Amino acid sequence: MEELASVLGNTGSFPSTQQSLGFVQAVALEGIESIVRLSLRSERAFKVEVTPSDMSLLFETPGTGFDDARMTKECGSDSACTPGRRDRIAGTTEVGVGKIVGGEPGESRREEILLKTKVVLEKDVVEDREQR
Amino acid sequence: MARLREKMMERCERRDGRIKKLERKIEEMRVYHRGDMEGQAKYTQAMEERLKQTEGLLAARSAELSGTHTFLSTTDRLSEVDVLSIVRELNENIYQIAVKLTEEWEKLEPSQVTGRMDVDPTSRPSAPALVQLVHNRNPMGLTLLLQSRLCSQVVNMTSSWGHHQELAALDSVYQRLSTSGEHRFVDAGQCITHTSQRGKQYRPDGGR
């Protein structure tokens, strides 16, 4: 809740953090509880219900390069990538799921992507801003 | 002539004696060899029985291992489907909250949104471009930014839960498996998961 309030605060949407916190509480309290419950449910599945448990949620840090093997694009970006340049990520909009596989003798461990993270690219955000 | 005959008779007797002695020795050797053969036969029979037992045990273990493998594969596959549906639902909830907050934010009077913009990309996992969009009153920018922050929080939150709170849940599930008789097929999984948990839980600084 405080995180969302700080987002609104950092973007200058409210004069004070207290006001943005009140706004988030009024609008999204129930939804946040639901997210916490689902997060716990997913983590319990990773640790208890999948054997062996080498699964985890994935999040891509803003500013890192787009990797088609791990991520899908949120919107726009139908245009081809600029040759020799990796598009940078503006934010992650959907978490993904990864699983560590391998580890047998003579086999290296590697991450298998079960669900790609969905990201929005900086160039789409900039293009969108320019359009406005 | 008589003397020669006696001498020949003596020689014949000595040879007869020697032949008898050799026959006894041959009989002794035959008995010894027969005993040795019987011993070898018993040993071979014992080894064959042992081989049969080992083969039987191997077949049983192979079947059990195959059953375990099938169980684990099935469990993993089913659970992966379940997990992915949970994560998709989680993503949907994140989107819904972001949209709901954005819609309410759009209803605010311009006089209410006169705060100072504080863009510090190093302090939080937010993109300055998205923050700038929101400052320019772009609703899509706010939705994306809220989604990004919620995703970041969810991942941080779940990884910290994994260190501190899930072992009790694990143990309760293992107890259930043991009492229901499923433990025969999940022993290997228990070891792997417990080891994995211990590895994740161990921190030199005590988890602080």
Side-chain angles (χ1 to χ4, degrees):
Chain A
M1 192 113 48
E2 286 80 5
E3 285 295 318
L4 296 179
S6 78
V7 169
L8 294 167
N10 289 347
T11 55
S13 298
F14 290 92
S16 71
T17 309
Q18 195 57 43
Q19 278 178 283
S20 60
L21 187 60
F23 173 77
V24 174
Q25 276 178 335
V27 175
L29 183 60
E30 201 176 312
I32 288 169
E33 282 175 0
S34 171
I35 285 180
V36 171
R37 204 164 46 245
L38 282 167
S39 302
L40 180 59
R41 177 77 189 87
S42 70
E43 191 61 13
R44 189 172 288 150
F46 293 156
K47 294 292 185 292
V48 179
E49 293 158 357
V50 180
T51 317
S53 56
D54 281 326
M55 294 170 78
S56 60
L57 290 177
L58 301 176
F59 169 81
E60 305 300 337
T61 309
T64 54
F66 177 76
D67 180 0
D68 193 40
R70 307 170 48 92
M71 313 165 198
T72 53
K73 297 170 197 172
E74 173 63 45
C75 55
S77 290
D78 290 332
S79 57
C81 293
T82 309
R85 199 197 89 192
R86 287 177 81 191
D87 292 314
R88 295 205 307 171
I89 296 163
T92 300
T93 55
E94 289 185 8
V95 292
V97 179
K99 182 180 182 181
I100 304 296
V101 294
E104 299 290 319
E107 187 186 3
S108 59
R109 284 167 71 82
R110 61 191 164 76
E111 189 177 42
E112 182 182 301
I113 305 297
L114 302 179
L115 181 67
K116 290 182 179 182
T117 50
K118 194 173 270 188
V119 298
V120 59
L121 302 180
E122 277 189 0
K123 70 172 186 179
D124 293 327
V125 175
V126 172
E127 281 165 8
D128 189 29
R129 196 167 61 198
E130 283 167 354
Q131 280 169 12
R132 286 172 65 87
Chain B
M1 190 68 181
R3 193 178 170 140
L4 183 64
R5 192 180 167 193
E6 274 179 27
K7 210 173 175 181
M8 289 297 285
M9 285 297 283
E10 268 178 35
R11 192 178 280 181
C12 279
E13 280 172 8
R14 275 205 308 272
R15 285 191 177 168
D16 281 346
R18 201 172 163 193
I19 287 169
K20 281 178 184 168
K21 203 175 172 184
L22 282 170
E23 279 176 351
R24 275 202 304 274
K25 205 165 185 181
I26 287 170
E27 187 57 32
E28 280 174 15
M29 288 297 289
R30 192 171 285 149
V31 170
Y32 175 78
H33 182 65
R34 196 182 298 133
D36 194 40
M37 287 290 283
E38 283 173 2
Q40 284 289 335
K42 281 181 185 172
Y43 180 73
T44 305
Q45 195 178 353
M47 289 303 289
E48 280 175 354
E49 281 174 10
R50 199 170 161 189
L51 179 64
K52 273 184 189 172
Q53 284 178 353
T54 307
E55 281 177 346
L57 194 63
L58 180 66
R61 288 282 158 86
S62 298
E64 195 171 321
L65 189 64
S66 173
T68 306
H69 180 73
T70 306
F71 176 83
L72 292 178
S73 305
T74 309
T75 307
D76 276 359
R77 193 160 51 243
L78 289 175
S79 296
E80 276 179 15
V81 171
D82 289 342
V83 167
L84 293 187
S85 77
I86 294 166
V87 175
R88 287 196 178 97
E89 193 181 347
L90 180 62
N91 283 325
E92 179 61 27
N93 273 258
I94 287 172
Y95 175 71
Q96 292 295 339
I97 286 190
V99 168
K100 195 174 176 186
L101 278 167
T102 304
E103 284 173 355
E104 294 301 320
W105 175 79
E106 282 185 286
K107 293 176 190 168
L108 295 173
E109 294 293 322
S111 60
Q112 289 179 268
V113 288
T114 54
R116 184 178 61 85
M117 188 175 72
D118 178 16
V119 182
D120 182 3
T122 60
S123 65
R124 299 282 183 186
S126 298
L130 289 177
V131 176
Q132 184 63 52
L133 273 182
V134 179
H135 191 65
N136 294 339
R137 300 287 298 162
N138 182 316
M140 180 58 83
L142 181 62
T143 305
L144 294 173
L145 188 55
L146 290 171
Q147 278 181 278
S148 184
R149 184 61 64 86
L150 279 166
C151 288
S152 162
Q153 279 301 299
V154 161
V155 172
N156 290 339
M157 207 158 48
T158 51
S159 56
S160 64
W161 281 336
H163 291 307
H164 302 297
Q165 296 180 4
E166 288 300 304
L167 202 58
L170 261 180
D171 287 338
S172 70
V173 170
Y174 290 152
Q175 212 163 10
R176 176 178 63 74
L177 289 172
S178 300
T179 51
S180 65
E182 294 171 58
H183 63 283
R184 201 168 75 93
F185 292 109
V186 295
D187 281 347
Q190 285 183 13
C191 293
I192 292 166
T193 313
H194 269 306
T195 308
S196 163
Q197 276 296 306
R198 275 199 294 275
K200 283 174 181 171
Q201 286 220 325
Y202 172 71
R203 286 179 178 181
D205 61 355
R208 283 184 293 274

